Amino acid sequence: MELYRDPAVPVEKRVEDLLSRMTLEEKAAQMMCVWQRKADTLVAATGEFDPAKAKAAFGEGHGIGQVGRPSDAGGGRSPRQMAELTNAIQRFFLENSRLGIPVIFHEECLHGHAAPGATSFPQPIGLAATFDPDLVERLYAMTAYEARVRGTHQALTPVLDLARDPRWGRVEETFGEDPYLVTRMGVAAVRGFQGDAPGSYRDGRHVLATLKHFVAHGQPEGGQNCGPANISLRELRDNFLRPFEVAVREAGAAAVMASYNEVDGVPSHANRWLLRDVLRGEWGFRGFVVSDYYAIWELADRPDTHGHGVAADKREACALAVKAGVNIELPEPDAYLHLVDLVREGVLEEAELDELVAPMLRAKFELGLFDDPYVDPALAERVVGCAEHGALALEAAREAITLLKNDGGLAPLDPAKIRTLAVIGPNANRVLLGGYSGTPPHVVTVLEGMRARVGAEVEVLYAEGCRITIGGSWNEDVVTPSDPAEDRRQIAEAVEVARRADVVVLVIGGNEQTSREAWSRTHMGDRARLELVGRQDELVDAIVATGKPVVAVLFNGRPLALGHLVETVPTILECWYLGQEGGRAVAEVLFGDVNPSGKLPISFPRSAGHLPVFYNHKPSARRGYLFDDATPLFPFGFGLSYTTFAVSNVRLEHAVIPRDGRTRVLAEVTNTGERAGTEVVQLYIRDRVSSVTRPVKELKGFARVALRPGETRTVALEITPASLAFHDIHMNEVVEPGEFAIMVGTSSRDADLQTVLLRVE
């Protein structure tokens, strides 16, 4: 038996032996993937494996590194069908490549496996609103299990971009604007996906996590997807790189996806400093880097979107990406088709390919694919979309909902005092999951959730009110605005419905077309304005004019400029996209079965003209505007409850520590209201005098605290050297001596914080 085939041999020895046996062509094949081309090379039109196509395409026996998204074959595979397909494809490559090297199947798993039948939970921006890393870890462990039993090995998730420009259409994919929150959620996601990797991969429940987009993709120039990131090296180090670094060092992330954008004139897929010096050299990353889809091509020129112009053609782009350290090109064989020729011509060394292929072989051995490559289709059918996973999705939806306003205490609603309830709005009975979504086993709209909650005791009326766009989906290129005349006709109908009701629930916001990934010049999703799209403000005014009590429920993928709504409506809930159980969770919160506990993971601007509005700005920023307010409409960390909380007796365990010392800040948190509820206590820190300018405050800790009415609990939050460190005037990461303001409270707003001083000597 060849050494690499022996399960008893250590993984590194198996990798070394296999690599020594591989031809140049076989090494190049491991650096390639097929996705849409699997329809021509692996899969019949109906979605089943096609051995004739496979032998025609891969008959030379070189194999292939990855197969992308088998779940979408033939228009979509059920859990059982996908398991059968991945088994068949895997068997082909094991039996029809010279060395029997298995393939990795990758899938999108942003908020659940993006596949038919998979459980769908809130988008990451909603998960971030929970401030609950334990919940996030459980959700991604669930996702890993659902994906792995179908044959998936790698998730192209989590997104660790800092979303610092709400005009950008991909905000929903992120955990928000703050480096610390994104870090803790990112670490939780990686641990959920990978478990105690690499040992846990062989349990059949875990997959490789992929950190993306590396780096600084979330603050593009003009808020336009893939735009240059005009960010300094110090900002990169202290903010944008931080979540990736911790996810690599602490959670052992297996893979990283380079980003489309450029930093300081260097596109990430050609950035040796980023992918080699920092990622591998400084952080000790031993995994592999995948390209974003078609991004190596874009180092030259891709007419349908853009080209960076740092390569003359795909051949030069291939050489740049290899030298930068991109292990595999996704999603199709394209620029990396030049690998063999570039080695033979002396432009690349074969040893450079060896270096990039080895980590991917290691992952295949660690996953157990050489020893136990197949999955059980019957198990996939039982596990995916099961009731237990739906219950977890419901728990997440409940925690994500954020109460922004509740003047007069209209919510929670009392069904005993309501005979007729109107549910009105373009999002009231629309399936809203957001981007990179599959087709879950069921979806509950707000209308359905409200009717199920009140039963026959309350009559529930419905009117669409207006539309945001005409039909369409996240995937379709063309976005058709709603018709003004038709909208106004529907508004008039909605007014008549509202007049018959005791209370109106107005469900508005955005949809999957008004905020999404702009992946080409014909598929846009970034916006220059942040107000409600279409005639929604007219609908709000018309319904409020009836004099009926109104609760506004928002579904959207990015923060919106809600000034008019805030001035007009007394009660507002922010829901983001809540996944398959969204309507049920909204009904439970509106009727007080669940007390909202969400907090904003991103600041809400007053208008697009107020951007940037992220809370952790420098001292010279936000001086004010003529005729306007520079503060956010709603600040980072903000969220109300149906009860009230008081934070008191904020104190330090040690008020003076050495630079390498630790302490804790303690505070008493009391539920001062009449309902049980959960508060998120937040710790912010500011270095008062420093060698370079520092933010006015930075989140460095938080804790969810569940309290009964009248209950008090002591919360202790750790302050470590990492809480205080930054890159100084010499670009060294240090803790400088001096005074630090330690702020504890319920949001990033100054009025919600209490301060004590810590001295570092």
Side-chain angles (χ1 to χ4, degrees), residues 58 102 145 151-152 301 313 417 488 660 685:
F58 300 101
Y145 189 26
T152 304
D301 182 40
D313 50 31
K417 298 179 180 178
R488 289 176 179 127
D660 60 352
I685 295 179

Side-chain angles (χ1 to χ4, degrees), residues 496-571:
E496 293 306 311
V497 169
R499 285 176 176 154
R500 294 165 51 197
D502 300 308
V503 175
V504 176
V505 175
L506 191 57
V507 193
I508 54 178
N511 67 27
E512 293 154 323
Q513 291 192 317
T514 62
S515 182
R516 63 181 183 176
E517 179 181 358
W519 63 56
S520 74
R521 296 181 188 276
T522 58
H523 187 98
M524 293 302 195
D526 310 316
R527 290 188 61 218
R529 300 180 62 186
L530 297 175
E531 290 78 17
L532 290 167
V533 173
R535 260 61 56 191
Q536 292 187 87
D537 276 331
E538 291 184 32
L539 174 64
V540 170
D541 288 343
I543 299 301
V544 170
T546 65
K548 302 293 184 174
V550 177
V551 176
V553 177
L554 293 159
F555 285 85
N556 39 273
R558 58 153 64 90
L560 298 173
L562 300 170
H564 181 73
L565 183 71
V566 171
E567 292 173 358
T568 308
V569 175
T571 300

Side-chain angles (χ1 to χ4, degrees), residues 293-556:
Y293 278 25
Y294 307 105
I296 297 177
W297 174 14
E298 293 171 8
L299 295 177
D301 182 40
R302 182 181 171 192
D304 63 325
T305 170
H306 66 278
H308 291 292
V310 296
D313 50 31
K314 291 181 181 179
R315 184 178 180 279
E316 288 188 7
C318 172
L320 282 175
V322 168
K323 290 184 178 296
V326 179
N327 300 71
I328 184 169
E329 179 177 28
L330 303 186
E332 312 284 4
D334 188 23
Y336 274 15
L337 289 170
H338 296 280
L339 283 168
V340 172
D341 288 344
L342 288 171
V343 172
R344 288 179 174 156
E345 294 166 13
V347 177
L348 295 173
E349 299 292 331
E350 188 168 351
E352 292 179 283
L353 272 62
D354 293 349
E355 179 190 14
L356 296 178
V357 170
M360 297 188 291
L361 296 179
R362 183 190 306 118
K364 293 182 179 186
F365 283 115
E366 290 174 344
L367 285 161
L369 302 185
F370 285 85
D371 314 314
D372 184 19
Y374 306 117
V375 294
D376 179 0
L379 179 63
E381 198 167 47
R382 290 196 304 272
V383 166
V384 176
C386 66
E388 178 185 354
H389 293 176
L392 185 55
L394 176 59
E395 179 184 348
R398 290 165 173 162
E399 287 194 19
I401 295 172
T402 306
L403 181 62
L404 298 181
K405 183 182 179 185
N406 196 24
D407 287 0
L410 175 58
L413 303 176
D414 183 353
K417 298 179 180 178
I418 301 172
R419 290 176 297 176
T420 304
L421 177 72
V423 181
I424 293 172
N427 288 338
N429 199 33
R430 179 168 177 150
V431 173
L432 291 163
L433 299 174
Y436 289 101
S437 298
T439 307
H442 68 271
V443 179
V444 182
T445 68
V446 173
L447 178 63
E448 292 166 343
M450 297 296 281
R451 283 179 169 160
R453 171 60 180 78
V454 300
E457 301 302 315
V458 176
E459 182 182 9
V460 178
L461 309 176
Y462 166 68
E464 187 175 27
C466 67
R467 293 181 179 176
I468 299 173
T469 58
I470 302 297
S473 71
W474 182 81
N475 289 292
E476 292 179 13
D477 290 339
V478 176
V479 177
T480 304
S482 62
D483 177 71
E486 175 61 17
D487 280 348
R488 289 176 179 127
R489 185 191 67 77
Q490 289 201 74
I491 289 171
E493 289 181 355
V495 166
E496 293 306 311
V497 169
R499 285 176 176 154
R500 294 165 51 197
D502 300 308
V503 175
V504 176
V505 175
L506 191 57
V507 193
I508 54 178
N511 67 27
E512 293 154 323
Q513 291 192 317
T514 62
S515 182
R516 63 181 183 176
E517 179 181 358
W519 63 56
S520 74
R521 296 181 188 276
T522 58
H523 187 98
M524 293 302 195
D526 310 316
R527 290 188 61 218
R529 300 180 62 186
L530 297 175
E531 290 78 17
L532 290 167
V533 173
R535 260 61 56 191
Q536 292 187 87
D537 276 331
E538 291 184 32
L539 174 64
V540 170
D541 288 343
I543 299 301
V544 170
T546 65
K548 302 293 184 174
V550 177
V551 176
V553 177
L554 293 159
F555 285 85
N556 39 273

